[in-house]
Amino acid sequence: MAAAGAHRPGPLKQQNKAHKGGKHSGSSQRRAGGRVPVKAQPRRRLRDLNRVDRRHQALQLRRQRKEAVLAEKRSLGSRDGPPHLVVVVPLHSRAAAQGSLRLLQSQDSAVVRADEGTAGGFALLCPRLKQRWRFVAAQAGDLHAVLDLAKVADSLLFVLDAVDGWDSAGEHCLSCLFAQGLPSYALAVPGGTDLPPKKRIDARKKLSKSIEKRFPEAKLFPLNTEQECSVLLRHLSSQKQRHLAFRDRRAHLLARAAEFVPSQDSHLVGTLKVSGFVRGQTLSVNSLVHIVGHGDFQLSQVDAPPDPLSLNPRVLKGQKRSQDMEVQEEENGADEMEEDVKVLMKADPSKQESLQSEVVPDPMEGEQTWPTEEELQEAEDSLKANRRVVKVPKGTSKYQAAWIVDDGEEGSEQDDDDDEDDDMDDDLMEEAVSQEGESSEEEAGEEESETMTVSECLRDEQYDEKMEEDEQMLERYKQERMDEMFPDEVDTPRDVPARVRFQKYRGLKSFRTSPWDPKENLPRDYARIFQFQDFSRTRKNLFRQIEKEETEGASVGWYVTLHVCNVPVSVMESFKEGKPLVLFSLLPHEQKMSVLNFLVRRHPGNSEPVRAKEELIFHCGFRRFRASPLFSQHTSADKHKLERFLRPDAALVVTVYAPITFPPASVLLFKQRSNGMHDLIATGSLLSVDPDRIVIKRLVLSGHPFKIFTKTAVVRYMFFNREDVMWFKPVELRTKWGRRGHIKEPLGTHGHMKCHFDGQLKSQDTVLLNLYKRVFPKWTYDPHVPEPVPWLRSESALPEREVEME
């Protein structure tokens, strides 16, 4: 009641003037400093809309989005759009995929036409519904084929078992597909009619419950009769299409027919004529194309043959052509390609993209300075110091005498192999280099005198080989465990001075705030790569240009024949074997090499240790390649610490040399076993293309307090000579219990040193010294990935199969 009766001021209330301070002449101009104020754009239109107008505007936006979705559904599979591409993926060894395809072919009033290359693929034309589908069955167990087909598929048809749903191989396939990006899908369950009615209902309920985790809103479609097939086709044509960003911005094509024309110079290289329907974006003849699994190529021309899957073949641009709508199969697709072929466009050499992927470095570009007199004198003194007296046979020249090595010098010339090669294996376990040299010679001698003995039982030999792999895996587990317990800690070598062994490392006052020039001491491989001045701005401008501007070329839905130049004959051989032939058009700069950074997370189904710089297989967007990556922490700082192993509990950044790819793009990391199988170890996405990302490798030298005073302590076992203590004196010390200090002076000649700290040490504390060095990935990029062993075969059956082959 008090609120209802509150006093409100009337029209006679006193209104005071607002204060106008600072508006006198000259004050505002002095504060502005010559800057002209920008007029703020008023949002009066949004503010003036009343409730009815806002509801009307929201209704219009919903209607526009709905019309866009309906237009996309109508165009897919229609006369003007490409056929609806459905990839059939069996998820169980008992799933009858071929039986389901035969049942789909038995539709009434539909025309069935078989594909040329892919085994078991066919097109289904339904003039009554004005729809056309193309069904492609992935080969059982071929992981690369499933992933390649999923890149271009409009819908995936998962074929499940009526009782178990999917097995372990199907689970592995689903993990890869979800990580790569899943298009629209449907679940079909053929069979199950042989079960009693009661058990059939129980099996259906159990199967529906088991798929809730993977497919929360999915619906199971039985596939036993023609009527059930019609219901499935109606669902595939009416469901909402899922978009994959990496394919929607690029033109892509799944080959329906292909022809190889060898060149005049060699029969191993020639022109590949690929026919198929354009999808995604308009395909330009001047842009490069990427054949998945084979590399980048140029186009010479684009032809427009007659559409072999036309719903109305009698009307073909005024030409009279009669054809009965009956169930038939094409025996030879190349004959149709030769009929009525029209050249759409030919490549323009002035506008065509170049295939150059690397910068050719000029060795004379580097800065050269003439050495000073002091440097010449130092070099001469070092040569005099390195002179030695060696007993040589009579008649030996000076050049021959320089190659004679004394017994005591055999192991001393390999001390810095770890720094030159930057091998991660020597950082965890430091061993004597002289012992490595002697052991390598002994192994070489043993190899020369080795005799081959054949065992009576091949299974025992294969079992012993398996045990050797287990021992290597056990050693890796130990190294990973040691790295978790003592991160980055190494033992100071006894036979090599620490100032020589760690001469490429430096100390930092603070890892987070200390400066580090990204252009300092770059390797020679950085002269071969390309770098953007502003990668994000280039990406935004390129995507904006794709959305707004119309490119000249083959539009979406056209059936075209692409003439791809300089293609190896192995591409055609793989197509004849039944492998899918997938082409993607490349955006500008996507053929050039640079440094790519991927943000990945360890797959929970894999627990084997994976070391940095170990060769892995990458599925990045539409590409597939092999490389040896670096692992580093994902932070917002300007420097990132190297990780020696792929951590299972945190997201890491993977750095490799690879062709430029514009994000977003998914990435899958596989590791090949010794038996040829590929294990999924990590999944993620492309983070950036940035060669200036600094990855820092840290080494930690540890020492133990020998005598402890108030704030001073004598530390030993960190160094073993006086010169090393003086060399590392400027570097700050820290302890595991949080103390900080510095080296005061060396004591004696065996590496003991007096250190001063900000507090008294505990006897069980450990003194640490951090050293840092920037590391770079290895140039091991290889676009050719070996075919994996089919994942439908069990591992227990592999040795028996190998014995039978031998």
Side-chain angles (χ1 to χ4, degrees), residues 103-261:
L103 192 61
L104 288 169
Q105 294 179 14
S106 61
Q107 294 292 309
D108 294 336
S109 67
V111 179
V112 179
R113 297 187 179 179
D115 289 344
E116 177 184 347
T118 54
F122 66 93
L124 191 65
L125 310 179
C126 189
R128 182 173 58 85
L129 299 177
K130 297 182 180 180
Q131 286 287 324
R132 51 181 180 171
W133 293 272
R134 184 184 174 192
F135 290 88
V136 179
Q139 292 185 1
D142 194 347
L143 181 62
H144 287 346
V146 173
L147 294 177
D148 292 346
L149 289 172
K151 291 179 174 68
V152 295
D154 296 319
S155 300
L156 295 181
L157 179 59
F158 293 116
V159 182
L160 310 179
D161 182 58
V163 179
D164 298 332
W166 56 79
D167 52 8
S168 59
E171 178 70 23
H172 177 65
C173 179
L174 286 177
S175 299
C176 298
L177 289 174
F178 272 92
Q180 178 180 265
L182 199 66
S184 303
Y185 60 88
L187 304 179
V189 185
T193 55
D194 53 345
L195 296 175
K198 188 175 182 181
K199 290 186 177 181
R200 195 183 309 169
I201 297 174
D202 294 341
R204 182 66 180 269
K205 290 181 179 179
K206 182 180 178 181
L207 184 60
S208 301
K209 191 174 182 180
S210 63
I211 68 172
E212 286 182 357
K213 293 183 179 180
R214 278 290 190 183
F215 309 98
E217 300 177 357
K219 180 182 177 182
L220 287 174
F221 289 90
L223 206 62
N224 298 313
T225 61
E226 294 184 8
Q227 185 178 2
E228 292 173 347
C229 290
S230 302
V231 174
L232 177 61
L233 290 176
R234 192 178 300 113
H235 172 74
L236 289 173
S237 60
S238 62
Q239 67 178 349
K240 183 179 179 181
Q241 293 297 313
R242 292 188 175 187
H243 294 276
L244 300 180
F246 72 89
R247 75 176 185 185
D248 287 344
R249 293 188 174 95
R250 299 170 179 86
H252 52 276
L253 177 145
L254 177 63
R256 186 178 181 274
E259 180 185 358
F260 183 78
V261 180

Side-chain angles (χ1 to χ4, degrees), residues 279-299:
R279 303 172 185 272
Q281 295 288 336
T282 303
L283 179 62
S284 175
V285 70
N286 295 319
S287 61
L288 301 179
V289 294
H290 175 79
I291 301 179
V292 178
H294 299 281
D296 304 335
F297 303 95
Q298 286 181 331
L299 298 177

Side-chain angles (χ1 to χ4, degrees), residues 455-467 796-804 806:
S455 175
E456 295 182 359
C457 184
L458 290 175
R459 295 176 183 269
D460 293 341
E461 287 185 359
Q462 292 175 356
Y463 189 79
D464 292 339
E465 291 177 2
K466 185 69 176 177
M467 293 302 297
S796 59
L798 285 174
E800 298 178 2
R801 180 71 173 270
E802 292 174 359
V803 170
E804 292 174 2
E806 292 178 1

Side-chain angles (χ1 to χ4, degrees), residues 51-67:
R51 182 181 178 185
V52 177
D53 294 337
R54 287 196 302 270
R55 291 180 62 181
H56 182 63
Q57 186 181 27
L59 181 63
Q60 286 180 333
L61 293 176
R62 285 198 302 271
R63 190 174 297 166
Q64 290 176 1
R65 287 194 292 266
K66 186 176 180 180
E67 290 177 354

Side-chain angles (χ1 to χ4, degrees), residues 508-776:
L508 295 178
K509 178 69 176 176
S510 171
F511 182 80
R512 185 178 61 87
T513 60
S514 297
W516 197 302
D517 188 5
K519 304 297 184 183
E520 177 187 359
N521 293 333
L522 297 178
R524 290 185 178 271
D525 290 336
Y526 264 52
R528 302 164 58 186
I529 65 173
F530 291 84
Q531 183 176 3
F532 294 94
Q533 186 176 3
D534 191 344
F535 178 75
S536 60
R537 184 178 62 183
T538 304
R539 172 180 169 272
K540 289 180 181 178
N541 293 338
L542 188 61
F543 287 174
R544 191 181 301 114
Q545 181 180 0
I546 293 174
E547 293 177 358
K548 293 184 178 179
E549 298 183 4
E550 294 184 0
T551 57
E552 296 181 357
S555 301
V556 178
W558 289 8
Y559 185 77
V560 296
T561 298
L562 308 181
H563 294 247
V564 190
C565 304
N566 299 324
V567 179
V569 70
S570 59
V571 181
M572 188 64 191
E573 291 175 354
S574 65
F575 180 71
K576 289 181 179 179
E577 293 174 358
K579 304 291 178 62
L581 186 58
V582 179
L583 283 79
F584 274 85
S585 67
L586 298 181
L587 300 179
H589 314 295
E590 282 195 329
Q591 79 279 11
K592 301 174 182 177
M593 296 291 292
S594 187
V595 179
L596 271 63
N597 303 303
F598 305 100
L599 181 62
V600 302
R601 186 175 289 274
R602 185 72 176 265
H603 189 260
N606 187 277
S607 60
E608 295 183 1
V610 181
R611 300 202 60 173
K613 295 192 177 179
E614 191 174 352
E615 188 179 74
L616 300 177
I617 298 173
F618 288 75
H619 284 249
C620 174
F622 54 89
R623 290 188 185 272
R624 184 167 66 239
F625 57 89
R626 290 187 293 177
S628 300
L630 291 179
F631 303 145
S632 59
Q633 293 180 352
H634 180 49
T635 59
S636 59
D638 60 342
K639 295 180 290 297
H640 312 274
K641 192 179 83 67
L642 176 77
E643 291 289 346
R644 289 176 169 82
F645 289 89
L646 187 62
R647 302 293 181 190
D649 55 348
L652 296 181
V653 176
V654 176
T655 304
V656 293
Y657 290 111
I660 294 171
T661 303
F662 290 99
S666 59
V667 61
L668 285 76
L669 271 65
F670 292 89
K671 183 179 178 182
Q672 185 172 359
R673 295 188 199 171
S674 59
N675 57 11
M677 296 186 69
H678 290 180
D679 291 336
L680 179 64
I681 62 171
T683 60
S685 60
L686 177 60
L687 180 63
S688 64
V689 180
D690 185 14
D692 288 341
R693 191 177 191 273
I694 302 175
V695 180
I696 302 296
K697 175 183 174 182
R698 184 181 72 173
L699 287 186
V700 180
L701 304 181
S702 59
H704 302 276
F706 177 51
K707 294 180 181 179
I708 300 175
F709 303 98
T710 306
K711 287 189 177 182
T712 307
V714 178
V715 180
R716 60 180 178 178
Y717 301 149
M718 183 177 289
F719 304 109
F720 298 100
N721 57 71
R722 186 182 183 90
E723 290 77 11
D724 287 344
V725 177
M726 296 300 296
W727 180 269
F728 290 100
K729 186 177 179 180
V731 184
E732 187 181 13
L733 301 176
R734 67 180 182 89
T735 69
K736 288 190 175 181
W737 286 32
R739 296 298 180 190
R740 291 186 174 272
H742 60 275
I743 301 173
K744 204 170 184 182
E745 58 181 352
L747 298 176
T749 60
H750 290 79
H752 290 209
M753 55 188 182
K754 184 187 291 186
C755 304
H756 184 78
F757 296 92
D758 56 357
Q760 188 173 7
L761 296 186
K762 302 292 184 181
S763 59
Q764 62 269 31
D765 204 351
T766 305
V767 182
L768 305 175
L769 184 142
N770 294 340
L771 298 175
Y772 303 95
K773 180 184 72 171
R774 185 179 179 184
V775 292
F776 303 90

